[in-house]
Amino acid sequence: MKLKHLFVLAAAAAVTLAACKKEDSKSYIFRVSPSEVQFEAAGGSEPLYVVTTGSWTVSGASLFSLDRTSGKGPGTVVVTAAKATADDPVEETLVFTCGDKTAKVTVRQKGALSPEDAISVDPTSLAFEEEEGSKEVTVTATGEYTASSEVDWISTAINGNKTTVTVAQNSGTERTSTITFTCGSKTATVTVTQAKAGPVTKIKTAQDFLAFLDQFKQYPDGTVVEFACDVDFAGVTGIPYADFPASLTLDGKGFAIKNWVNAGVPMFKTNNGTLQNIVIDGSCTITYNISLGSKTQFGILCAQNVGLIKGCTNKAGMNLGDFTVSATTHYGFFTGINRNAVEDCVNEGNLVITTLTGPASGQFRFGFFVGSLAENASTKTLKTANCVNKGSITVTKADNKNANFGGIVGYYDSKEDAEVTGCVNEGNLSVSATVETTALNVGGIAGNLLGGMISSCSNLGSVSSAYAAGGIAGAMLKGSKISEYKTLEGCEVHAEVSGEGSASGLVFGTSTKDVKFTLGSEAAPIKVSGKVNGTAVTADNMISFLHGSGVSAGAGSNIFAQYEAKK
């Protein structure tokens, strides 16, 4: 009986031992951290943390001492390094074992001759203007380093021994902070100072633009303020309708103003400076509702231009619906009145009017670039040059009896030295009326030409009027500024023109009785093709369709023209 009992106990012990071994090899959690320890040459102690539920041992320590070499369950092993006696760095690997699992820890110590951690920076201070900007710091360190700042307006980028420091644009008072460079236990700092916000020179937001309008007096002469990106004008109100100074330039850099709901207030009242490369996006909505004394003037950029408008683009259209004119109105997508220069601009927006009404004295003058072109005694240059219109005019009823519409300029009354040159109209212009009128003039380049020069211009869009229609000018009514017309050299018309039979022609529609003109020249004749009131113009019948049949030319008048089919 006793022998049998002993056999049972032995069998039970064997089962239990087998179960422990199985648990040792597969079930125990076993982890040691950290996996690396670095000592300075001066020596020191660092703990290693063992996480397990089993028994473990550690071996491999010959250069460093351990406070224990075995244990069961979680525990701590303290590694101690004496002061280095060897000149060179030393390293060894400790091996922790638990069952069939192992974990390794690498222990290093700098040699007696190893350099201590060290780091220096050059320069130790950086000064920035209020604009966003970047500068470099040179870092000398004995090892890898980091750079950190506690403020969100400073950012850093490390590239080898160079760190680029970037600051955001400052919109407030002067500000100062530091960047901390760290290598091991050593640090170095760079002080960063940014100047307080001055007048805006880079426009990134609508708020920047409004601030710019409020800061004109703070800019030195010759300042150029630039758009830095497309700017969303959604919700912008309260544009002050101020004059733009002669000493400033606003450069859009080809970026667009978007989502602007313009309630009839031009960007500027009078432009005395330079507006260039500004783009009005098609997402903008433009309306009209502003009176200046007894006359009305409107342009998206300015009511009146006495400076330079150059390289600008408009993509926004306007639908005026039922529109009443109570006084002489000068309207252009760029400027209402031009007294200096509009150059190299492009229009892609359309004008739509359902009904245009008003008394005979309520004259409406519209051109996509310039409503009216009129000289200014102090202006040396009076020019509209190299502009291209791709927009259309659609007026369903023009019942105010007195209106001028042009693809480039609506009303042109100036001296001979004024000029519209190098311009192209590609848009179709159509103005209808339900009342009889003899003062409705529509021209591919100018609605009503009373003086000045038109040269090297082309009209490729159809022109339709309830009265006077011309491929270049709707009417050439003698003004007070000149005694004889000498104009239209190098111009071309390749279009369909339709209007009152006596007041429609490929070059111009009507004119003052007996006015003297020389249109084109032998060296630069007007080139024409197209149709007039449905009749195709040919080389044989061309002379009959250059102007309206009601034109009574003054003695000595001449038109130099030649038929040339549209290319």
Side-chain angles (χ1 to χ4, degrees), residues 269-303:
K269 181 179 179 181
T270 298
N271 171 42
N272 298 291
T274 299
L275 305 176
Q276 63 187 32
N277 305 319
I278 299 169
V279 177
I280 306 298
D281 187 66
S283 61
C284 298
T285 302
I286 312 299
T287 59
Y288 174 78
N289 183 24
I290 186 166
S291 293
L292 303 176
S294 62
K295 297 183 179 181
T296 56
Q297 306 170 16
F298 179 82
I300 298 173
L301 297 182
C302 58

Side-chain angles (χ1 to χ4, degrees), residues 390-454:
K390 301 180 181 181
S392 64
I393 295 175
T394 304
V395 181
T396 305
K397 293 192 300 181
D399 291 351
N400 69 317
K401 298 185 179 182
N402 196 338
N404 302 281
F405 294 88
I408 306 298
V409 177
Y411 188 87
Y412 189 176
D413 185 10
S414 189
K415 297 178 181 178
E416 292 181 356
D417 58 355
E419 189 172 20
V420 175
T421 184
C423 296
V424 178
N425 173 58
E426 299 176 1
N428 297 324
L429 317 179
S430 176
V431 183
S432 302
T434 57
V435 299
E436 186 175 347
T437 176
T438 58
L440 176 58
N441 309 305
V442 184
I445 302 300
N448 194 346
L449 175 62
L450 284 84
M453 292 288 294
I454 296 179

Side-chain angles (χ1 to χ4, degrees), residues 189-249:
T189 59
V190 171
T191 301
V192 179
T193 302
Q194 189 174 24
K196 68 179 181 179
V200 173
T201 57
K202 298 287 186 181
I203 296 174
K204 298 181 180 179
T205 66
Q207 289 68 35
D208 289 341
F209 182 77
L210 293 175
F212 160 68
L213 297 182
D214 194 44
Q215 296 170 346
F216 286 159
K217 294 181 180 180
Q218 301 181 41
Y219 294 97
D221 291 354
T223 297
V224 178
V225 178
E226 300 177 345
F227 280 70
C229 58
D230 291 345
V231 179
D232 189 344
F233 268 43
V236 170
T237 58
I239 289 182
Y241 191 50
D243 291 340
F244 188 69
S247 59
L248 298 184
T249 295

Side-chain angles (χ1 to χ4, degrees), residues 57 376-377 382 418 496 519:
T57 61
N376 185 334
L382 184 57
E496 295 187 19
L519 307 183

Side-chain angles (χ1 to χ4, degrees), residues 286-367:
I286 312 299
T287 59
Y288 174 78
N289 183 24
I290 186 166
S291 293
L292 303 176
S294 62
K295 297 183 179 181
T296 56
Q297 306 170 16
F298 179 82
I300 298 173
L301 297 182
C302 58
Q304 181 175 217
N305 177 52
V306 184
L308 172 64
I309 298 174
K310 183 178 179 65
C312 297
T313 299
N314 173 60
K315 299 181 180 181
M318 175 178 288
N319 189 332
L320 294 178
D322 295 329
F323 185 67
T324 300
V325 178
S326 58
T328 299
T329 301
H330 312 270
Y331 186 94
F333 275 13
F334 290 78
T335 182
I337 295 179
N338 179 33
R339 298 186 185 278
N340 197 344
V342 177
E343 301 177 356
D344 305 319
C345 295
V346 176
N347 174 66
E348 298 177 8
N350 302 321
L351 173 69
V352 177
I353 301 176
T354 303
T355 303
L356 179 65
T357 59
S361 60
Q363 186 177 146
F364 187 71
R365 302 171 176 177
F366 174 85

